[in-house]
Amino acid sequence: MSRPVFLARILTAFLMLGAGIVTRIQTAGLPFGTLKRIGSGFFPTLFGNLMIILSLCMLVSLFVAYRRGQVNQVETEDIITSLKGFGVFMAILIGFILINHFAGFVIASLVAVFAAGYALGLKGWRLGVLTVATTLVIWLVFDLWLMLSLPSGIWFS
């Protein structure tokens, strides 16, 4: 792997670790509940723990790759490609936040998943299936099953 990719993965792992720790600290007082009656702290605790575990696994695997000499020197083209990818996904994140505010979570999810899939090279029916299926699952799980009202946006409230 190239050095910019290695450094980006290290940064990502530390950001995930920090987000997991902050999530665990913030949800410490929330009731966990049971599988039959999920409390408000169930998912944040679960995802916080998962982020911590996965980020530690990622850091260990990156350390092993570095020790084995699997990190190459910097290539200018790799840096430019990495910055373009970072810019695209930051634009998708900002777009998601703006669309969520105005049009609601479901439409924002639909647009964000479509844009991310397209940026990753998906096209045609696969992109459509990914977009619709992901948005549908999010809506079914959170709005119908868990009965959490997803933001509807200021245009639809």
Side-chain angles (χ1 to χ4, degrees):
M1 105 182 63
S2 68
R3 189 147 180 86
V5 169
F6 176 76
L7 293 174
R9 289 181 182 176
I10 290 272
L11 178 63
T12 301
F14 277 115
L15 288 172
M16 278 180 49
L17 180 62
I21 291 170
V22 167
T23 301
R24 288 294 291 132
I25 290 169
Q26 292 293 319
T27 60
L30 295 175
F32 190 76
T34 64
L35 287 177
K36 289 185 178 182
R37 183 150 180 97
I38 294 173
S40 59
F42 182 82
F43 280 109
T45 302
L46 182 73
F47 289 130
N49 289 339
L50 189 62
M51 282 196 308
I52 291 169
I53 292 167
L54 291 177
S55 63
L56 291 174
C57 290
M58 188 174 179
L59 285 169
V60 168
S61 71
L62 289 168
F63 176 75
V64 169
Y66 181 76
R67 295 288 290 176
R68 290 183 180 166
Q70 296 173 341
V71 178
N72 303 328
Q73 289 303 316
V74 177
E75 304 255 344
T76 307
E77 187 175 308
D78 288 341
I79 294 172
I80 292 169
T81 303
S82 297
L83 290 175
K84 282 182 183 177
F86 176 76
V88 166
F89 280 93
M90 285 306 293
I92 292 170
L93 176 64
I94 291 168
F96 174 81
I97 293 168
L98 291 173
I99 295 169
N100 186 32
H101 177 71
F102 290 106
F105 188 84
V106 173
I107 295 172
S109 295
L110 197 70
V111 172
V113 171
F114 179 84
Y118 186 80
L120 291 171
L122 288 176
K123 300 212 177 14
W125 67 270
R126 287 184 176 96
L127 179 58
V129 168
L130 172 77
T131 301
V132 171
T134 303
T135 305
L136 184 63
V137 167
I138 289 170
W139 179 72
L140 287 171
V141 168
F142 291 101
D143 207 23
L144 291 183
W145 180 44
L146 295 175
M147 291 181 270
L148 300 171
S149 60
L150 298 172
S152 59
I154 60 174
W155 289 343
F156 299 109
S157 13

